[in-house]
Amino acid sequence: MLNKIIAEESIQKAKKMTDKYDKIVIVTHISPDGDAIGSSLALYHFLLESGKMANVIVPNEFPGFLQWMDGAADIIIEEKSPEITKETIEAAELIFCLDFNTLKRIGRLEDMVKNSSAKKILIDHHPYPEKFCDVTISHPEISSTSELIFRFICRMGRYEDVNKSCAECIYTGMMTDTGAFTYNSNNPAIYYIISELLTKGIDKDAIYSKVYNNYLKDRIRLEGFMLYRKMKLYEAYKTALMTLSLEEHLKFNPQKGDTEGFVNIPLSIDKIVFSAFLREEKDLVRISLRSRGNFPSNQFAKEIFNGGGHLNASGGEFQGSLEEAVKLFEEALPRYKHLLI
Ligand code: 5GP
Ligand code: MN
């Protein structure tokens, strides 16, 4: 049996809304990752199974290694379909906000969701959620929103309505938000849930392969380039930094999500506890931070780059040049020395 983490009152309120309303929209954060798409599609399959009209809306494209998922082709991408997005949100009676804690994280969907008169339910695991929903189910101690979706469905007494597609999506989100169960993954409940998902017919080995053995050759060459040519170590701070300019990226046939995971690699170097990846985009520099152990990468993200996230995985944006971002990063390191070593 799973322990009851979500408050009973939240379950009852959310259940009432889910039962009552038929036109349901699910939104998730910009640059959706495996947990964002996994949790959203899992809830989508569950709602369809329950006879509801549901739509998943994301602000922008998601990576190719998630496009095999059942329902992925039905996802509405605001950047590509702004009119359909607007109409769908305007018609919504209930909006689920998944895997983000502040409306800032949904980009151009922010105003549409904020101004909608639909009831709203947040299900998320990022710390310090803002209060913009009628029901807030926020559990930073749980490693993925997808796990929370499984718990939510079970607590509504609807385990039977978890079909195979739903189970695959839940597994994918749990797997990607724990680096295939290599971090944030010591809670025994995770493995209880996986055993339940296996009884629904998922093939976990095949899912691993579809997500992680699905790279284009340019991506693998880019990884080699980054590690050989672009990784700088600050051994006195147990820190690694990689940067990628637009010009460099263009040599490797850039694809959405093709740099995902790079930031984790330097953490496999002996003694490195903090890793940063700074990637130049058209109008800004995107920051990805990862840490091992107690180093609060999210505090660094917040204080230096006005971002946020989890203790060991966080990020932010920087309005300026790549060189300026590197300078800011390097100047900040000494101030965090006491936390790094
Ligand atoms: P990633 O490095 O995979 O892009 O992001 C890792 C985590 O950092 C995300 O799951 C999210 O929690 C957080 N994050 C990334 N970018 C931002 C940002 O611009 N603002 C905030 N608040 N959090 C971010
Ligand atoms: Mn997540």
Side-chain angles (χ1 to χ4, degrees), residues 29 31 33 99 101-102 104-105 125-126 177 260 263 286-290 301 305-310 313-317:
H29 61 77
S31 299
D33 58 7
D99 202 40
N101 57 356
T102 154
K104 222 176 67 184
R105 292 277 293 145
H125 68 137
H126 295 89
D177 256 21
E260 207 153 301
V263 65
R286 188 154 305 279
I287 320 286
S288 272
L289 304 176
R290 298 291 185 273
F305 293 112
N306 196 24
H310 311 277
S314 59
E317 292 173 0

Side-chain angles (χ1 to χ4, degrees), residues 90-101:
E90 274 171 8
E93 297 167 317
L94 175 62
I95 301 178
F96 279 93
C97 297
L98 302 189
D99 202 40
F100 62 94
N101 57 356

Side-chain angles (χ1 to χ4, degrees), residues 56-311:
V56 176
I57 302 181
V58 299
N60 59 350
E61 273 298 353
F62 52 96
F65 61 80
L66 300 173
Q67 281 167 13
W68 58 271
M69 294 167 83
D70 193 13
D74 305 333
I75 293 178
I76 300 169
I77 301 169
E78 193 276 338
E79 210 172 62
K80 277 174 44 186
S81 316
E83 281 308 314
I84 297 174
T85 298
K86 196 165 160 275
E87 284 164 22
T88 311
I89 294 183
E90 274 171 8
E93 297 167 317
L94 175 62
I95 301 178
F96 279 93
C97 297
L98 302 189
D99 202 40
F100 62 94
N101 57 356
T102 154
L103 282 172
K104 222 176 67 184
R105 292 277 293 145
I106 55 172
R108 286 183 7 173
L109 296 176
E110 172 170 0
D111 285 340
M112 285 180 250
V113 171
K114 196 160 54 186
N115 299 332
S116 161
S117 57
K119 293 283 181 199
K120 289 162 207 151
I121 300 173
L122 177 91
I123 305 183
D124 177 47
H125 68 137
H126 295 89
Y128 315 116
E130 281 174 10
K131 285 264 177 281
F132 57 91
C133 286
D134 301 282
V135 180
T136 300
I137 297 175
S138 165
H139 289 273
E141 77 280 17
I142 296 298
S143 55
S144 64
T145 299
S146 298
E147 176 179 337
L148 287 170
I149 293 294
F150 182 81
R151 290 172 174 276
F152 173 59
I153 294 172
C154 291
R155 289 284 298 286
M156 292 194 295
R158 303 286 299 279
Y159 174 74
E160 273 64 43
D161 291 331
V162 175
N163 59 24
K164 186 179 168 193
S165 298
C166 176
E168 283 178 346
C169 296
I170 292 170
Y171 184 79
T172 304
M174 291 175 69
M175 179 183 79
T176 52
D177 256 21
T178 56
F181 308 103
T182 59
Y183 49 81
N184 289 340
S185 57
N186 283 329
N187 186 347
I190 291 174
Y191 304 95
Y192 173 80
I193 295 171
I194 294 173
S195 74
E196 297 277 57
L197 298 175
L198 286 166
T199 68
K200 299 282 183 180
I202 68 162
D203 180 341
K204 65 183 270 304
D205 304 344
I207 293 175
Y208 179 94
S209 224
K210 284 185 214 174
V211 172
Y212 293 111
N213 301 335
N214 187 16
Y215 294 131
L216 297 175
K217 63 179 185 310
D218 291 313
R219 195 272 187 199
I220 295 292
R221 289 196 202 285
L222 175 59
E223 182 174 323
F225 168 74
M226 295 303 296
L227 294 177
Y228 187 56
R229 301 284 297 278
K230 302 301 310 275
M231 185 174 70
K232 185 168 175 187
L233 298 179
Y234 305 80
E235 288 175 47
Y237 300 109
K238 299 188 175 176
T239 292
L241 170 68
M242 290 196 284
T243 59
L244 180 63
S245 69
L246 262 176
E247 198 187 342
E248 289 164 334
H249 201 177
L250 278 175
K251 292 181 188 148
F252 294 88
N253 179 26
Q255 304 286 323
K256 186 82 199 161
D258 62 356
T259 59
E260 207 153 301
F262 285 176
V263 65
N264 294 301
I265 304 173
L267 289 182
S268 57
I269 301 171
D270 181 33
K271 297 199 177 69
I272 296 296
V273 299
F274 183 37
S275 170
F277 177 52
L278 274 46
R279 179 166 54 88
E280 184 184 31
E281 290 187 3
K282 240 193 312 194
D283 309 312
L284 52 88
V285 177
R286 188 154 305 279
I287 320 286
S288 272
L289 304 176
R290 298 291 185 273
S291 67
R292 279 200 283 171
N294 296 329
F295 182 71
S297 79
N298 52 356
Q299 186 187 330
F300 192 100
K302 185 161 185 266
E303 291 172 355
I304 309 302
F305 293 112
N306 196 24
H310 311 277
L311 187 79

Side-chain angles (χ1 to χ4, degrees), residues 14-24 52 93-94 119:
K15 181 176 184 307
K16 218 180 240 171
M17 290 175 190
T18 311
D19 289 343
K20 179 171 174 191
Y21 298 113
D22 288 319
K23 292 182 194 153
I24 303 179
K52 302 286 176 180
E93 297 167 317
L94 175 62
K119 293 283 181 199

Side-chain angles (χ1 to χ4, degrees), residues 237 300 328-340:
Y237 300 109
F300 192 100
L328 204 59
F329 180 83
E330 289 183 336
E331 284 174 0
L333 276 184
R335 299 204 295 278
Y336 290 83
K337 191 168 184 176
H338 62 291
L339 296 169
L340 284 162

